[in-house]
Amino acid sequence: MASFGDRVKRVLGIDPEDKLDDSIYFDDGSFVESEVSTKEFLLGFVPTGRGIKHYLRELFPFLNWIFHYNFVWLAGDLIAGITVGFVVVPQGMAYALLANLPPEYGLYTSFVGFLLYWAFATSKDITIGTVAVMSTIVGNIVINVQKTHPDLTAPEIARALALVSGAVLLFLGIIRLGWIVEFIPLVAISAFMTGSAISIASGQVSTMLGIPGIDTRAPTYEVIINTLKGLPQSRLDAAMGLTALFGLYFIRWFCNLMGRRYPSRQKTWFFISTLRMAFIVILYILVSWLVNRNVAKASDAKFKLLGTVPSGFQHAGAPRVDMEILKAIAPDIPTTIIVLLIEHIAISKSFGRVNNYIINPSQELVAIGFTNVFGPFLGGYPATGSFSRTAIKSKAGVRTPLAGIFTAVIVLLALYALTSVFFYIPKASLAAIIIHAVGDLISPPREVYRFWQTSPLEVVIFFAGVFVSIFTSIENGIYVTIIASAVVLLFRVAKSPGRFLEKVDVYSVPRDSVRGGNSVSRQALVGETSHPAFIPRDKIDLANPEVQLKSPYPGVFVYRFGEGLNYVNSARHLDNMTIHIFKHTRRTQLDKYEKLGDRPWNDPGPRRGQKLDNAEMVARPTLRAVVLDFTAVNFLDSTATQALVDLRNQFNRYAEPDHVEWHFAGIANRWTKRALVAAGFGSDRGLASGAGSSGSEPLIAVSAAKGGDSGSGKEKASVEDISKETGDIETGEISPVASTRVGGRLVPLYGINRPYFHVDVESAVKSVVQKLDGRSSDSN
């Protein structure tokens, strides 16, 4: 009786009998491969109790280490947290000015980041808070939105932006889509950071020098030109700014020098260098107070001051989120999310590699998402990882993410105890701090040179991103580098090279024996065994041109895919295969076309009066088999599968009345095997793999089973026993592993119902050669 599925197939015009029958292998107890099913695929998404427990454990990673906390960790976290706290207070206020916000908003943002991150962190080093690049972008967004919505205040825009972008990131992290950050390459991040640093530094020069009337939100090149024009208008602020900038660089240089000169005191000099921003701020607060101690309003001071900073959380409350503000910020949400991703993930991955731990990108999205969702309720604006503070925290000896709590305490003390002192901070000195901080974000020449050595095309992308950031905007620079990198990736996939492989016998000898152009004679290798290897026929891998390559077998071709096989590159790969194989083989029937007019237009043959069966054509081998190296192929789509079917049919017509065998090596994905089997490859079904042809049975790879000699007597067999039955295990040269006497139980490595799927190219070629030799013996 027909099953429900068979009846549905008939209704849809599908032949229910068109399926692979492996029952003969199942019935005799052989090891067989069953195809992966859609049900199995869907069941992989059904949550299990163990999976839910693991998910919750990942969602709160502090549970993995908090119960092991000890006094040694506490000491390291306390020192690192306090150290970062002295840095974040002046930086936070300075960066808030970049965002066109009052300085206290920078402290609010930093406090929330340090307070919350530790519970969701997978990085002990990262610090979440205000950063120069994100602050600059927020400032640009505030200005652009207020042009069309003047009723919206800057804090309302910034807080709504943080809430919406944070909600998106939190959602992406919860559903574990952190892998999307891998689409942003290193060169795009470096270009973005460099362009942003140049733009930010250029915009702060006018503030540092006290030059009035400079639009620092204009394209960077205009800001540089206008700043140069305005140099004669510099004010007393320049004294506060230039000396502060010089002091910052001098302290760092001097501490590094002393650290190298006195290695035993290196830690002490590091902490002194780290606190240089706090020293400068304290020094210039004192100078400013001495100069402006009788000033009641910041506008009456001799140079620009930071002004009044409210004490405590004066702007706490629910952020404004309505349709007006959502429509106003909607175009800028993608840019905000990308910048939050780029800075945080890039920094956390970098320090994870330096300090020997692995971060979870999805969990990091949860961390920054939660921080940006909760932050606006205390007055925070978009926050992400800070490179400079993370580097300080790492070098200060941080032990766990809990160090952020101690930094949050420092920020809280500043908010409630030091705000009256902040009134006297010169804005020019804060501008110097910003310039000094972003200077480290510029990619040094050695890094750009490394890009050139690795991939010259990426250097073009790097400079394109930098120049676009300078001549238009930072946002445009982000999009240009990401889009350009994506285009290059697609181009490489579409144009991925495939190579025909040929065989070479490889020996292993000491390097000194071939130094200075020396060669090794075969006589010197007595007792040494070789093993076959397959390298590109054109030696594009820089193999020695003197090495002799040989075809695996006349009419047998081995092809390796470079970067997968999919709908983008399948036509290119298969066209290359067709051209090469037709060039080096001949039709099995040379006289297939009796009349000249019967020949197809694309194979017209020789000109009139010339002999068709010339010696060169007759000397070519006929096409016997194709071995495809699928090591680099992870998945086959419908387009690529159909292209293989079409190529198989084309080769079978070319080789009539013979049939071309198709062998596949290195398939690691079950869905790839399913696609190939559905297309008629891999099994004995039909004529696709040479079924029904004469010759011996296909070779099956076997390997030692677990448990040693245990097993049924029927299953017990040694390599020696198999060799007695079949001659050699593999026709041709036997590898050292195959020729070694092995006892115990040997079992099939893969299912015997898929004899044309092989573990590697060597096994595939040996199987082809053995079968073709067997076919030749039968014909004789």
Side-chain angles (χ1 to χ4, degrees):
M1 183 177 178
S3 64
F4 175 75
D6 290 342
R7 290 196 295 269
V8 172
K9 288 181 178 179
R10 287 194 178 94
V11 171
L12 297 176
I14 302 172
D15 184 6
E17 304 301 325
D18 185 19
K19 57 184 177 181
L20 185 60
D21 183 10
D22 285 333
S23 60
I24 60 173
Y25 301 109
F26 285 95
D27 294 343
D28 65 5
S30 302
F31 175 72
V32 297
E33 293 184 25
S34 58
E35 306 306 329
V36 62
S37 64
T38 305
K39 179 181 178 181
E40 184 179 347
F41 172 75
L42 295 176
L43 286 175
F45 294 95
V46 177
T48 62
R50 184 177 180 181
I52 293 173
K53 183 179 179 181
H54 178 71
Y55 174 80
L56 293 176
R57 195 84 177 181
E58 276 194 339
L59 203 59
F60 301 100
F62 73 93
L63 295 174
N64 296 321
W65 54 265
I66 193 68
F67 299 109
H68 303 278
Y69 207 78
N70 53 68
F71 286 106
V72 176
W73 291 4
L74 176 63
D77 290 344
L78 184 63
I79 294 172
I82 293 175
T83 303
V84 174
F86 285 120
V87 176
V88 74
V89 171
Q91 275 193 352
M93 293 186 292
Y95 292 160
L97 300 180
L98 288 177
N100 271 11
L101 297 171
E104 62 268 21
Y105 282 89
L107 299 179
Y108 302 155
T109 304
S110 300
F111 173 78
V112 175
F114 288 114
L115 183 67
L116 299 179
Y117 175 70
W118 70 272
F120 305 96
T122 61
S123 169
K124 71 179 179 65
D125 301 295
I126 200 77
T127 63
I128 293 183
T130 58
V131 293
V133 178
M134 189 71 253
S135 298
T136 301
I137 291 177
V138 170
N140 294 339
I141 294 172
V142 166
I143 292 173
N144 293 334
V145 170
Q146 287 184 329
K147 289 179 181 177
T148 55
H149 299 79
D151 57 313
L152 297 177
T153 64
E156 287 176 340
I157 298 169
R159 293 168 71 183
L161 190 65
L163 181 62
V164 175
S165 59
V168 173
L169 291 173
L170 181 60
F171 174 74
L172 294 177
I174 289 176
I175 64 175
R176 290 321 198 223
L177 288 183
W179 51 267
I180 62 175
V181 302
E182 306 300 338
F183 286 97
I184 304 175
L186 175 62
V187 65
I189 296 173
S190 298
F192 160 69
M193 291 294 190
T194 300
S196 301
I198 294 173
S199 298
I200 294 168
S202 301
Q204 291 302 303
V205 172
S206 59
T207 303
M208 184 178 66
L209 299 179
I211 302 174
I214 303 295
D215 180 12
T216 58
R217 302 293 174 172
T220 303
Y221 78 97
E222 292 184 7
V223 174
I224 295 174
I225 293 173
N226 294 333
T227 301
L228 293 174
K229 290 180 179 178
L231 285 177
Q233 304 175 40
S234 299
R235 299 176 179 175
L236 185 60
D237 300 69
M240 308 300 292
L242 289 174
T243 54
L245 184 62
F246 173 80
L248 289 168
Y249 279 106
F250 177 80
I251 293 173
R252 185 171 73 175
W253 169 80
F254 181 76
C255 290
N256 290 339
L257 176 65
M258 297 304 290
R260 291 192 300 269
R261 183 170 296 180
Y262 304 102
S264 61
R265 299 285 184 179
Q266 192 170 24
K267 199 74 173 178
T268 302
W269 290 110
F270 161 74
F271 282 109
I272 295 174
S273 176
T274 297
L275 298 175
R276 63 186 179 277
M277 292 187 185
F279 294 155
I280 292 295
V281 168
I282 293 172
L283 173 63
Y284 283 87
I285 286 176
L286 178 60
V287 172
S288 177
W289 179 79
L290 292 174
V291 175
N292 301 297
R293 61 183 179 276
N294 296 322
V295 173
K297 294 190 299 182
S299 57
D300 298 332
K302 299 185 182 302
F303 40 79
K304 291 183 180 180
L305 300 181
L306 185 62
T308 303
V309 178
S311 176
F313 294 93
Q314 299 293 326
H315 306 288
R320 175 183 173 183
V321 181
D322 51 35
M323 289 307 298
E324 179 187 4
I325 199 167
L326 289 177
K327 290 180 179 179
I329 65 175
D332 300 301
I333 291 175
T335 302
T336 305
I337 292 174
I338 291 173
V339 174
L340 292 174
L341 284 174
I342 286 178
E343 293 211 65
H344 186 89
I345 301 299
I347 294 169
S348 57
K349 279 188 174 183
S350 175
F351 281 89
R353 287 190 291 267
V354 170
N355 295 313
N356 197 29
Y357 61 84
I358 299 174
I359 67 140
N360 183 339
S362 296
Q363 186 57 31
E364 291 300 314
L365 294 189
V366 171
I368 58 176
F370 190 80
T371 299
N372 283 287
V373 166
F374 186 77
F377 290 89
L378 290 180
Y381 66 92
T384 188
S386 165
F387 178 81
S388 60
R389 295 194 297 271
T390 299
I392 292 171
K393 189 177 179 184
S394 177
K395 292 179 180 179
V398 64
R399 303 303 298 270
T400 73
L402 201 62
I405 295 292
F406 304 112
T407 306
V409 171
I410 299 296
V411 176
L412 195 64
L413 289 174
L415 270 170
Y416 281 95
L418 299 177
T419 51
S420 59
V421 177
F422 295 156
F423 175 88
Y424 293 100
I425 298 178
K427 284 189 175 182
S429 300
L430 287 181
I433 289 175
I434 294 173
I435 294 173
H436 179 70
V438 300
D440 293 332
L441 300 180
I442 299 176
S443 298
R446 64 177 179 275
E447 182 176 344
V448 181
Y449 181 67
R450 189 163 60 247
F451 291 156
W452 174 261
Q453 289 180 310
T454 306
S455 175
L457 189 57
E458 291 190 337
V459 177
V460 177
I461 297 176
F462 172 83
F463 283 111
V466 172
F467 288 142
V468 169
S469 298
I470 291 175
F471 287 95
T472 59
S473 66
I474 297 174
E475 295 89 333
N476 291 341
I478 298 173
Y479 292 130
V480 165
T481 52
I482 293 177
I483 292 174
S485 298
V487 170
V488 170
L489 175 63
L490 291 174
F491 180 82
R492 285 174 175 167
V493 171
K495 298 293 185 180
S496 62
R499 304 295 179 196
F500 281 94
L501 309 181
E502 290 194 346
K503 184 179 176 183
V504 59
D505 296 323
V506 177
Y507 298 85
S508 297
V509 299
R511 182 176 62 174
D512 288 342
S513 63
V514 291
R515 289 286 296 271
N518 295 328
S519 59
V520 181
S521 64
R522 288 184 179 271
Q523 289 76 14
L525 296 174
V526 175
E528 293 289 336
T529 57
S530 67
H531 67 274
F534 293 84
I535 67 174
R537 182 176 182 271
D538 55 8
K539 299 183 181 177
I540 196 67
D541 60 346
L542 303 180
N544 193 330
E546 295 186 35
V547 171
Q548 179 183 0
L549 301 180
K550 53 186 177 182
S551 173
Y553 194 90
V556 175
F557 294 87
V558 182
Y559 187 83
R560 174 179 293 160
F561 297 98
E563 297 183 24
L565 180 64
N566 49 59
Y567 72 94
V568 178
N569 59 27
S570 58
R572 173 183 172 85
H573 279 300
L574 302 189
D575 287 349
N576 289 343
M577 290 173 60
T578 304
I579 294 171
H580 178 85
I581 290 175
F582 282 5
K583 182 179 179 181
H584 294 86
T585 60
R586 62 173 175 84
R587 291 183 181 275
T588 306
Q589 295 177 320
L590 289 173
D591 57 350
K592 181 177 180 179
Y593 303 106
E594 297 181 358
K595 299 179 181 179
L596 186 62
D598 293 337
R599 299 186 68 90
W601 67 273
N602 61 332
D603 185 17
R607 293 180 177 273
R608 293 181 184 274
Q610 293 184 359
K611 188 177 180 180
L612 177 62
D613 297 337
N614 57 72
E616 189 274 335
M617 180 62 70
V618 173
R620 295 183 188 177
T622 58
L623 178 58
R624 313 297 293 276
V626 176
V627 177
L628 298 182
D629 185 355
F630 262 48
T631 306
V633 179
N634 183 57
F635 185 79
L636 272 185
D637 54 40
S638 300
T639 304
T641 305
Q642 185 59 45
L644 285 174
V645 171
D646 294 340
L647 187 63
R648 177 186 64 194
N649 296 335
Q650 182 181 6
F651 284 173
N652 281 339
R653 289 192 298 268
Y654 181 74
E656 286 179 345
D658 294 337
H659 296 282
V660 180
E661 286 194 5
W662 290 77
H663 293 251
F664 298 84
I667 302 177
N669 188 293
R670 292 181 66 194
W671 284 94
T672 302
K673 287 188 176 182
R674 169 175 161 150
L676 291 171
V677 171
F681 296 101
S683 67
D684 294 312
R685 176 176 59 174
L687 299 175
S689 301
S693 61
S694 60
S696 61
E697 280 286 305
L699 295 182
I700 297 295
V702 295
S703 183
K706 295 187 293 184
D709 294 335
S710 62
S712 63
K714 181 181 70 172
E715 293 170 326
K716 285 187 177 182
S718 68
V719 172
E720 182 181 16
D721 297 332
I722 299 172
S723 299
K724 290 178 180 178
E725 295 179 8
T726 61
D728 288 329
I729 293 178
E730 304 282 11
T731 302
E733 295 185 21
I734 301 177
S735 66
V737 174
S739 61
T740 302
R741 185 185 180 92
V742 180
R745 188 165 62 99
L746 299 178
V747 295
L749 192 59
Y750 294 120
I752 67 171
N753 56 330
R754 302 289 180 262
Y756 299 96
F757 294 156
H758 304 274
V759 64
D760 55 21
V761 173
E762 180 184 353
S763 299
V765 170
K766 287 182 178 180
S767 181
V768 172
V769 172
Q770 183 263 358
K771 193 164 187 181
L772 292 178
D773 281 345
R775 190 183 304 177
S776 300
S777 300
D778 291 346
S779 63
N780 293 334

